[in-house]
Amino acid sequence: MTVAVNPAQTGEPVFYLADEHPHPEGYSTSLGFWIYLMSDCLIFAMLFAAFGVLGANYAAGPAPKDLFDLNLVAVNTSMLLLSSITYGFAMLTMQQNKIAQTQMWLLITGLFGAAFIGIELTEFAHMIHEGATPQRSAFLSAFFTLVGTHGLHVSCGLIWLVTLMVQVWRFGLIEANRRRLMCLSMFWHFLDVVWIGVFTFVYLLGVLR
Amino acid sequence: MSTDTHAAHADGHHHDDGHAHSTFSGYMLGFVLSVVLTAIPFWLVMSGTLPSKQVTALVIMAFAVVQIVVHMIYFLHMSPKSENGWSMMALIFTIVMVVIALSGSLWVMNHLNSNMMPMHEMTGMK
């Protein structure tokens, strides 16, 4: 409802919004979710800053050159990149209302995501087995915090993905499910953006150092 | 009165439902660009083609920045128009905060490191 401040006066009346006019449900979800992603981006910026400050303090422990296997990181990066494009295909088939194909692309995305987490956990286990634990040096603390937080995000994304697959299976591609898939799409692609920073600053520059 | 102003208001205020109109060619272009922009930095570091480490570091950082922009445009569908420009505003604000946090931390800690008394002098001071 709009209320005229001075209705008696002739000429240009001044209005202000007393109530918002009705909005469709969930119309502001994507902007709100985008702002959440931006706050997440600040978390990662702080972890990158911590890694930038501490990343060269090895405390006579292993350096990136001794620990990182760039071939493995390249495989891992391609897993995440492939999962991004398959999620894109899921969104495209969702727009065409093809439920079965959407579910199939979501499943493939989830498998790539799970492969990414699996490779990362293997890498962590290998490092810890070699004595490169988070307690070993400031570099390793910062490394495990930054890369681990990213991995935790991807794991949560996987849980979310499975949840949405069940939702789509039970209720179909209803408006609410489309909105949820849209949010997860932003989340998933955003994690890929963060990973660009991780493989560049942590792995490539670390090995280069 | 109320209906008139409401109609006038609704006219100038389009509800962007936020559903970006993604296309197959858009996703594929983004994907191919990302593969190229990922493969080159990995190749540069693993083969050590460039003569100096500083140059290699600068080049791979430039590739990362370009790839982040590619992801933003083709996968996250960022454009100045989406959500009436509010998502772009949030992004610009975040980038400003990230630049301040990163450059500030590195600058301050670098000065702190160079002004700190070396460890071996500290141990001899008892």
Side-chain angles (χ1 to χ4, degrees):
Chain A
M1 196 185 98
T2 321
V3 175
V5 171
N6 200 352
Q9 210 174 36
T10 49
E12 281 290 301
V14 186
F15 293 105
Y16 69 93
L17 274 178
D19 295 308
E20 280 274 359
H21 56 278
H23 291 292
E25 195 199 331
Y27 90 104
S28 57
T29 305
S30 11
L31 179 60
F33 193 76
W34 178 254
I35 290 171
Y36 154 70
L37 283 184
M38 292 295 96
S39 75
D40 228 15
C41 183
L42 290 176
I43 290 181
F44 280 109
M46 300 306 145
L47 295 178
F48 272 112
F51 185 83
V53 168
L54 301 172
N57 302 343
Y58 308 130
K65 234 175 234 173
D66 316 318
L67 290 173
F68 297 155
D69 176 9
L70 280 190
N71 289 311
L72 197 68
V73 179
V75 172
N76 222 0
T77 304
S78 60
M79 288 300 133
L80 210 56
L81 201 52
L82 283 167
S83 80
S84 242
I85 186 71
T86 55
Y87 202 107
F89 292 153
M91 293 303 284
L92 289 174
T93 48
M94 181 194 86
Q95 283 172 2
Q96 295 157 358
N97 262 324
K98 295 174 179 162
I99 292 187
Q101 288 193 34
T102 306
Q103 292 280 49
M104 186 195 72
W105 284 119
L106 287 178
L107 178 69
I108 295 173
T109 305
L111 290 178
F112 277 128
F116 173 84
I117 291 295
I119 293 173
E120 190 164 286
L121 287 179
T122 315
E123 187 198 17
F124 282 4
H126 183 68
M127 284 171 71
I128 290 168
H129 183 72
E130 285 188 344
T133 56
Q135 301 95 310
R136 182 64 191 85
S137 65
F139 151 64
L140 284 167
S141 303
F143 168 83
F144 276 102
T145 312
L146 172 59
V147 183
T149 304
H150 178 270
L152 191 64
H153 272 74
V154 178
S155 308
C156 291
L158 282 174
I159 296 171
W160 189 1
L161 186 86
V162 172
T163 312
L164 283 189
M165 282 179 72
V166 173
Q167 288 278 330
V168 171
W169 175 62
R170 286 194 62 185
F171 302 108
L173 289 171
I174 54 173
E175 194 50 47
N177 279 345
R178 287 168 182 265
R179 194 167 66 233
R180 290 162 186 156
L181 284 169
M182 183 78 202
C183 285
L184 180 57
S185 158
M186 286 199 276
F187 184 78
W188 202 263
H189 293 309
F190 169 74
L191 287 180
D192 209 1
V193 172
V194 173
W195 184 254
I196 299 171
V198 172
F199 81 67
T200 304
F201 289 101
V202 175
Y203 288 101
L204 292 181
L205 288 183
V207 171
L208 206 61
R209 198 181 279 143
Chain B
M1 176 210 93
S2 178
T3 45
D4 272 346
T5 49
H6 185 84
H9 180 76
D11 261 4
H13 180 85
H14 295 288
H15 276 300
D16 188 354
D17 56 359
H19 293 242
H21 305 285
S22 30
T23 56
F24 177 75
S25 55
Y27 275 117
M28 280 319 279
L29 183 60
F31 179 69
V32 171
L33 282 174
S34 300
V35 170
V36 173
L37 290 168
T38 303
I40 294 174
F42 269 94
W43 170 73
L44 282 176
V45 172
M46 288 164 93
S47 68
T49 312
L50 291 176
S52 103
K53 283 185 176 180
Q54 272 79 21
V55 176
T56 314
L58 284 175
V59 170
I60 64 171
M61 280 195 270
F63 269 99
V65 171
V66 175
Q67 198 185 346
I68 287 174
V69 174
V70 165
H71 275 241
M72 285 282 175
I73 294 173
Y74 292 104
F75 291 160
L76 283 162
H77 311 297
M78 278 304 286
S79 85
K81 280 183 210 138
S82 66
E83 304 286 348
N84 294 317
W86 285 111
S87 50
M88 191 58 98
M89 291 297 278
L91 176 65
I92 292 169
F93 172 72
T94 311
I95 291 172
V96 171
M97 298 305 284
V98 167
V99 167
I100 292 173
L102 283 177
S103 57
S105 307
L106 292 174
W107 181 61
V108 167
M109 294 310 285
N110 191 38
H111 278 258
L112 191 66
N113 273 345
S114 48
N115 290 329
M116 195 86 99
M117 204 177 276
M119 279 307 246
H120 56 88
E121 285 181 35
M122 296 263 285
T123 47
M125 274 191 359
K126 282 183 185 172

